[in-house]
């Protein structure tokens, strides 16, 4: 897995503070940024967090480049609907020897790993076989319609992989660009940093949070699973590790403040 923070709203904490200031004062637009130093902006952001006033944080956004994650993760992250996603297409990109994500539990067991690799190899071979069969069929049809051979081959392959991709597994890796505003990110971290989240998306959420803490440490000071800033919402399903989780994310915040 590789995660990079490509871009984010310049001076995010100052933008959030300005939006909040507009809500609570009669300042004009021209005066909105007056006196909003870095320190004052951070104080304003921290005050908002204690008040639970989240809407001003929607005015700043963060864009991440993510690769080396599975299609299984893609199905999970796109459930966070207040976000923008651009994903590598299996319809347009031919995957002759696709990379795959191997779950740690499988990787740690030689027998399970061997079975997994055998299954992945079989999927890759079937993908290539189906692609080849359909490509020849579509190429013949395009040539019969009078299409030039090179163009017919190109169009035939595109049409073939559109259907052949149905045999590709959840383990098949993918790449994406994801943009979320800060409020959506907070919700994402609450759910996906939780110890009960699936291991891969939890690892992704942790890495995204590390990057956010470097860019805007005060804005994400209370980020992480819900138990970091309050009681665990999982009830009987709680992992029972609240103290351990708070210690983990406190250390992450300290590191972010140091590098921010």
């Amino acid at each position: 897995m590789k995660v990079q923070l490509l871009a984010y709203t310049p001076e995010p904490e100052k933008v959030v503070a300005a939006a909040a200031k507009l809500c609570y004062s009669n300042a004009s637009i021209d005066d909105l940024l007056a006196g909003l130093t870095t320190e004052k902006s951070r104080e304003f952001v921290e005050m908002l967090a204690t008040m639970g006033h989240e809407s001003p944080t929607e005015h700043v956004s963060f864009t991440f480049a993510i690769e080396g994650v599975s299609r299984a993760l893609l199905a999970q992250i796109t459930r966070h609907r207040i976000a923008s996603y651009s994903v590598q297409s299996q319809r347009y990109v031919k995957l002759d020897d696709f990379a795959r994500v191997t779950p740690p539990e499988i990787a740690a067991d030689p027998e399970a790993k061997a079975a997994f690799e055998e299954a992945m190899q079989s999927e890759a071979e079937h993908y290539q076989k189906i692609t080849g069969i359909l490509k020849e069929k579509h190429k013949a049809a395009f040539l019969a319609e009078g299409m030039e051979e090179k163009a017919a081959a190109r169009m035939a392959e595109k049409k073939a992989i559109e259907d052949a991709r149905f045999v590709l597994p959840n383990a098949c890796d993918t790449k994406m660009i994801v943009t979320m505003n800060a409020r959506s990110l907070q919700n994402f971290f609450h759910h996906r940093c939780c110890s009960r989240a699936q291991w891969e998306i939890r690892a992704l959420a942790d890495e995204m949070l590390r990057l956010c803490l470097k860019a805007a440490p005060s804005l994400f000071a209370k980020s992480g699973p819900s138990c970091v800033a309050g009681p665990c919402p999982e009830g009987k399903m709680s992992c029972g590790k609240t103290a351990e989780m708070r210690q983990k994310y406190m250390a992450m915040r300290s590191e972010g403040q140091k590098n921010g």
Side-chain angles (χ1 to χ4, degrees), residues 73-172:
L73 181 143
L74 175 62
Q76 296 181 75
I77 194 171
T78 50
R79 291 174 188 164
H80 296 269
R81 292 180 290 276
I82 304 178
S84 298
Y85 301 96
S86 296
V87 183
Q88 184 184 63
S89 174
Q90 290 182 341
R91 184 182 179 194
Y92 293 100
V93 179
K94 189 167 182 282
L95 303 173
D96 287 317
D97 184 22
F98 61 85
R100 73 270 296 181
V101 175
T102 305
E105 290 293 331
I106 292 178
D109 186 299
E111 185 178 3
K113 184 178 180 182
F116 180 82
E117 291 299 330
E118 183 180 350
M120 294 300 102
Q121 184 59 37
S122 176
E123 298 286 5
E125 290 171 359
H126 281 96
Y127 173 77
Q128 292 169 8
K129 183 176 182 179
I130 294 169
T131 297
I133 293 170
L134 294 179
K135 181 179 178 180
E136 288 305 311
K137 173 186 173 182
H138 296 318
K139 182 180 176 183
F142 288 137
L143 288 172
E145 293 173 1
M147 189 178 290
E148 187 269 332
E149 184 166 352
K150 188 175 181 180
R154 184 174 64 252
M155 290 294 292
E157 181 173 271
K158 175 182 175 297
K159 193 170 182 181
I161 64 175
E162 182 175 311
D163 291 328
R165 64 181 170 151
F166 277 72
V167 302
L168 293 173
N170 272 336
C172 187

Side-chain angles (χ1 to χ4, degrees), residues 25-41:
S25 75
N26 62 357
S28 67
I29 298 298
D30 292 336
D31 296 332
L32 207 53
L33 298 179
L36 278 182
T37 62
T38 299
E39 187 59 36
K40 286 291 184 182
S41 296

